[in-house]
Amino acid sequence: MTVPDLICVLDTDGVPVTNPFYEKGQGLVVFALPAPEQWTTQKGLEVFGPKSFGFDMEYVPFTEKQRG
């Protein structure tokens, strides 16, 4: 799972948690949502794809088949 798909993190009360605010041992729920279509275009991926963050990987869209 990687950008531009949406990686969402909530605490066990359903409150969003961002990276700087999680705590070791905290109960979290992590789930993903497919990226909006405009981010999956060639131009969208150039701006907001994995490579734009320095990751050496291709974007593979999140799908229901990838659920674990």
Side-chain angles (χ1 to χ4, degrees):
M1 184 60 54
T2 185
V3 295
D5 288 328
L6 306 172
I7 303 166
C8 307
V9 182
L10 306 176
D11 69 14
T12 54
D13 293 324
V15 177
V17 179
T18 56
N19 291 351
F21 299 108
Y22 77 89
E23 298 175 13
K24 186 175 181 176
Q26 182 178 13
L28 299 173
V29 177
V30 180
F31 63 96
L33 298 170
E37 187 175 335
Q38 63 266 34
W39 289 119
T40 64
T41 65
Q42 181 179 349
K43 185 167 182 141
L45 290 171
E46 288 173 10
V47 174
F48 196 54
K51 292 184 180 186
S52 72
F53 290 91
F55 296 110
D56 186 23
M57 60 177 26
E58 296 297 322
Y59 169 62
V60 177
F62 169 74
T63 65
E64 288 294 314
K65 291 179 184 178
Q66 293 174 318
R67 283 186 9 186

